[in-house]
Amino acid sequence: ILELPFMQRGGVMLSFRRSYSNYIIEDLYDKNFTAFANSIPRRQPINFNSGQRPLPQTVDPEISFYDFIGKASLAVGSRDELSLSFYAGQDNLGRFETANMPGGQNRHAPHSHQASSFIKEENADWGNRGYSVKWFRQWRQRFHSTIMSTYSKFSSEQSFFENVPAFAPDPRFSRHMGAPGSAKTDSVVFELSSNNEIEDLTFRIDNSWQLHRADKLEFGAWISGTQIEYSNSGFHVIDDLQVQSQATQYAYYLQNTWSLNRLVTVETGLRAAYFNLTDSIYVEPRLSASLQVLSGLSLKASWGKNHQFVRRLPGFFQYTQGRDFWVLADGKAIQPGVAEQWAAGFKIENRNVLFDFEFYENRQQDVIEGIPAVQYMSSAERTGIYKNNSSLSRGIDVLLQKTSGRFVGWAGYSFGHTDIRATVKQEFQEFAANQDMQHKLNLVGSYARNGWNLSATWTYASGAPFTQPQVEAVRSEDFGVIQRLVPPAALNSNRLPATQRLDVSVTRAFISKHVYGHIGFSIYNLFDRENIWYRNFVLKSGKLAQEDVTTLGFTPTLAVDLRIR
C-alpha cells in the first residue's frame, strides 16, 4: 500500500497484492483446489477394470491471484472535487494430472499389451475490472451534486480436458471409438469449456437538497449499457450454446427524508426505469419509517418493490456446482425478475447493549433459482422451465450486541424459509430454494487489553437442500442410447448435514517513532470439521454415485501489517 499527498490538495493511494501456488502448503492447496475444481462440469468418472491400478500419479497444481486498487482525489477550488478510482483482480486455478497405466496386467483390457496414460487438465479463471470518474460540486450550503461515470467487466472461464485410456472408456461413447487394434482406441478425448463475460458502462448524476433542517430531497438519473456474452461447448452436449446480448437502461429517481422532532422519520422514494429489450417502463416505489416510542426504544417498518434485468441461469451440466451463468432478460424466454418485500421490527439500545428484532417477507415472480436444467435437453425444454414461477420468503433476524468495554461482541440468529412454486415437467411443485437455510447462528467475541486482542467466531447453519437425481436412458441422434440424470418427482427434498465452525485469532499491536502496525495469528476451522459445501452426482458404471465437496479445514494464518509514518 502506498499513500502520497498530491499538489497539497489531494492524495493518491495504490494497493497491490499477488499470490503464487508455490507459497501454499500442499495439504492446504489440495483442500482449496478440490472445493473449486469439482465445480467444473465433467463427464462420469472412469471405472477402471478390476485389478487395473494407475502407476504413481503426478499432479501439478497452479493457483494464483492478484488485485490492484488505485484511487486519486483532487480538490479543485473551494467547491469542487475530482476523484478517480480503478480496480483489477484476477484469480487463476489450474491442475494438470497424469497417471501411467501398466500394460499387460489386465486380461480384460482390450489393449493390455500396450501402455496408456490418463491425462486430466482443469482450469478456472475469473476476474473483474472497473473504473470510475466522479466530480462533486457544492453549489450552495444545502445543495450539492455528484456526476459519475463507471465501467466494469466481469469474466469467468472454465475448461476441462481428459484423455482417457481406451481400455477404460465411458460406455456412453463407445460408438466414437475405432475397431480393436486401431490407433483410435488408444485414447478417447473429452473437452468441456464455458465462458461468461459481463460489461457495464454507466453515467449518472445524483443531487441532494436540504430543503429544511428536517426535510431532505434527493433526485437523479442515470443511463447504463450492459453487454453479456456466454458460450458453452463440450463433447457430450448436443448443441453448443452461444449467447450474446446487449441492453440499455434509463432510470430516474426521487427520494424524500422527513424528520419530526427526532421522534418520527419517514422516507419515501420512487424510481422509474426503462429497459429497451422489453420496451417497458418499470415503477419501483419504496417507503420506510421509524418511530421512537421511548428513550432507547424505536419501531421501524419498510416496504419496496424492485426489478432485476441481469438474470442468473442454471447451466446445462446438471448436478454439478458452479454451473450457473448470467444472461439479460429479454421479455420472451427470460423475464425480468420482480421482488416485493416488507419488513417490520423494533430496536432497543443504551450505552452498552443493542437488541434488534426484524420480521420480513419477500415475494418474487419469474424465479429461476432452484429449477434444474437437464443434460441433452432441447432448446424448447430449456425455455419452458423458466416461466410462471414464483417464490415466497419469510423469516426473522435477531441481533444482540455489546458495543463498549474491553469485551465486545454480538450474537446473531436468523430463521427463514423460502419456497419456490413452479411447473416442472408439466406438473406444479412447491419446494425449498437452493439457498434455503432455515437456521443460522453467529457468536462473535473480542477482548482487548494492553495492545493485545483475542477474538473468536463460532457459526452454525442448517444444511442446504439438494435434489438427488434419477438415472434415465434416452436415445440421441448423435450419441445413440445414452444415460442422463433427470430431476425426480420432488425437487430439493433432501438436505445436507448442518455445518459449524470455530475460528480464533490473536493480534498484537505495536507502535514506535517511525513504524506502527500489528502482527497476528489466526486459525480457521480450529477443530478441522469437514463441512459439506455441496454434493455432486455422477454416473458411475451406469449407477448413481455422489461426490461430497467440503469447505476448507484447519488453516493457520500469520499476518504482519507494517506502516511507516
Side-chain angles (χ1 to χ4, degrees):
I1 298 177
L2 176 65
E3 296 183 66
L4 296 171
F6 181 69
M7 298 176 58
Q8 298 182 346
R9 289 189 173 185
V12 177
M13 189 278 288
L14 302 175
S15 172
F16 179 76
R17 296 187 302 172
R18 176 79 185 188
S19 174
Y20 296 92
S21 61
N22 56 330
Y23 298 130
I24 299 177
I25 302 173
E26 182 178 357
D27 180 61
L28 297 182
Y29 164 79
D30 289 340
K31 293 182 179 180
N32 273 296
F33 183 84
T34 301
F36 189 88
N38 284 334
S39 71
I40 300 176
R42 64 186 70 191
R43 54 170 288 281
Q44 74 177 55
I46 303 170
N47 181 28
F48 293 111
N49 294 321
S50 176
Q52 188 72 30
R53 295 290 184 269
L55 289 177
Q57 180 173 302
T58 301
V59 178
D60 295 323
E62 179 181 349
I63 175 172
S64 64
F65 81 90
Y66 78 84
D67 59 37
F68 173 80
I69 300 174
K71 295 182 180 180
S73 61
L74 177 66
V76 183
S78 59
R79 295 186 177 185
D80 300 88
E81 181 177 303
L82 180 66
S83 60
L84 309 173
S85 64
F86 175 79
Y87 174 82
Q90 185 74 29
D91 293 80
N92 303 299
L93 287 88
R95 182 171 69 171
F96 182 78
E97 180 180 342
T98 61
N100 293 323
M101 302 302 300
Q105 295 185 8
N106 189 344
R107 61 181 181 178
H108 302 290
H111 284 154
S112 59
H113 63 283
Q114 296 179 351
S116 300
S117 295
F118 166 72
I119 300 174
K120 181 166 65 176
E121 183 176 6
E122 299 170 287
N123 292 285
D125 304 328
W126 70 96
N128 291 277
R129 301 287 188 277
Y131 76 80
S132 69
V133 180
K134 183 171 69 174
W135 173 66
F136 173 84
R137 170 73 174 183
Q138 186 78 44
W139 301 97
R140 294 184 178 180
Q141 184 178 2
R142 294 185 176 183
F143 182 69
H144 63 80
S145 301
T146 300
I147 298 178
M148 180 184 298
S149 175
T150 64
Y151 168 82
S152 64
K153 180 178 180 179
F154 166 79
S155 61
S156 173
E157 183 175 356
Q158 300 186 40
S159 64
F160 175 78
F161 171 87
E162 194 171 68
N163 189 12
V164 186
F167 51 72
D170 185 328
R172 289 182 297 171
F173 305 103
S174 57
R175 60 177 294 182
H176 294 272
M177 299 171 58
S182 68
K184 193 174 181 181
T185 59
D186 288 342
S187 64
V188 181
V189 174
F190 303 91
E191 291 186 81
L192 305 174
S193 65
S194 66
N195 183 65
N196 197 192
E197 292 186 354
I198 306 174
E199 288 187 87
D200 182 89
L201 179 61
T202 299
F203 178 82
R204 62 181 297 167
I205 178 171
D206 301 285
N207 304 280
S208 178
W209 187 6
Q210 193 74 40
L211 300 174
H212 185 266
R213 183 178 58 184
D215 193 6
K216 183 173 69 173
L217 180 67
E218 297 170 285
F219 58 96
W222 70 84
I223 176 175
S224 64
T226 305
Q227 178 173 299
I228 294 183
E229 295 184 12
Y230 175 77
S231 63
N232 192 342
S233 63
F235 182 81
H236 77 309
V237 179
I238 287 180
D239 56 333
D240 292 351
L241 177 69
Q242 304 284 337
V243 174
Q244 181 174 357
S245 56
Q246 56 185 7
T248 303
Q249 179 186 167
Y250 304 88
Y252 311 88
Y253 77 92
L254 181 68
Q255 181 171 285
N256 182 260
T257 303
W258 177 73
S259 303
L260 175 62
N261 298 328
R262 299 182 181 179
L263 299 179
V264 179
T265 300
V266 179
E267 186 176 284
T268 57
L270 183 67
R271 178 179 181 269
Y274 171 78
F275 189 63
N276 73 322
L277 288 187
T278 60
D279 193 24
S280 300
I281 296 176
Y282 301 87
V283 179
E284 300 176 342
R286 61 194 61 187
L287 172 67
S288 64
S290 64
L291 170 63
Q292 186 169 332
V293 181
L294 299 171
S295 177
L297 172 62
S298 59
L299 307 179
K300 57 181 180 178
S302 63
W303 171 83
K305 188 175 182 179
N306 298 282
H307 295 82
Q308 183 176 353
F309 304 109
V310 178
R311 306 301 307 275
R312 182 176 65 180
L313 266 66
F316 307 137
F317 300 101
Q318 174 59 316
Y319 304 108
T320 56
Q321 188 74 4
R323 63 189 183 276
D324 296 349
F325 61 98
W326 299 89
V327 298
L328 282 167
D330 56 10
K332 300 174 183 178
I334 306 298
Q335 299 292 331
V338 185
E340 184 175 351
Q341 177 169 314
W342 69 269
F346 64 90
K347 180 170 64 175
I348 303 174
E349 61 181 325
N350 59 28
R351 292 184 302 174
N352 299 317
V353 178
L354 166 68
F355 179 79
D356 191 288
F357 177 90
E358 184 174 273
F359 173 81
Y360 65 87
E361 180 178 287
N362 182 293
R363 296 178 181 269
Q364 296 186 43
Q365 301 175 19
D366 298 302
V367 175
I368 298 173
E369 184 73 25
I371 304 172
V374 181
Q375 287 178 342
Y376 314 103
M377 180 182 285
S378 67
S379 299
E381 287 180 299
R382 288 199 291 262
T383 301
I385 64 175
Y386 299 140
K387 291 185 177 179
N388 304 318
N389 307 319
S390 63
S391 72
L392 173 62
S393 301
R394 286 176 177 158
I396 61 171
D397 292 325
V398 182
L399 174 67
L400 177 62
Q401 183 176 14
K402 187 177 183 299
T403 57
S404 61
R406 294 187 183 276
F407 175 81
V408 296
W410 53 270
Y413 170 72
S414 297
F415 171 79
H417 186 61
T418 301
D419 277 329
I420 292 180
R421 299 161 184 176
T423 300
V424 182
K425 292 186 174 181
Q426 290 76 49
E427 293 184 2
F428 176 79
Q429 288 198 37
E430 186 171 332
F431 55 93
N434 285 356
Q435 307 303 322
D436 181 74
M437 192 174 296
Q438 295 183 347
H439 302 276
K440 187 171 184 179
L441 177 63
N442 291 311
L443 301 178
V444 179
S446 176
Y447 180 79
R449 185 180 178 87
N450 298 329
W452 290 90
N453 182 279
L454 306 176
S455 63
T457 302
W458 181 77
T459 62
Y460 170 89
S462 299
F466 69 92
T467 297
Q468 182 166 316
Q470 297 174 340
V471 181
E472 177 184 77
V474 295
R475 178 173 292 278
S476 165
E477 294 181 1
D478 291 342
F479 297 98
V481 177
I482 58 176
Q483 290 180 319
R484 67 175 184 176
L485 301 179
V486 298
L491 297 178
N492 280 353
S493 57
N494 304 89
R495 282 189 179 269
L496 296 173
T499 63
Q500 57 176 298
R501 190 186 76 242
L502 177 64
D503 307 328
V504 296
S505 69
V506 55
T507 304
R508 171 64 175 175
F510 57 88
I511 184 170
S512 65
K513 184 177 180 180
H514 301 292
V515 178
Y516 68 99
H518 70 267
I519 181 170
F521 178 76
S522 64
I523 299 178
Y524 176 92
N525 199 353
L526 178 64
F527 297 116
D528 198 27
R529 289 189 59 89
E530 294 186 355
N531 295 313
I532 298 177
W533 182 15
Y534 58 86
R535 177 167 290 170
N536 281 340
F537 290 94
V538 296
L539 282 169
K540 191 172 184 180
S541 302
K543 297 182 179 180
L544 186 67
Q546 71 181 39
E547 297 176 345
D548 288 339
V549 178
T550 60
T551 58
L552 193 63
F554 180 91
T555 307
T557 301
L558 179 65
V560 179
D561 180 16
L562 297 177
R563 300 184 180 230
I564 302 175
R565 292 179 181 273

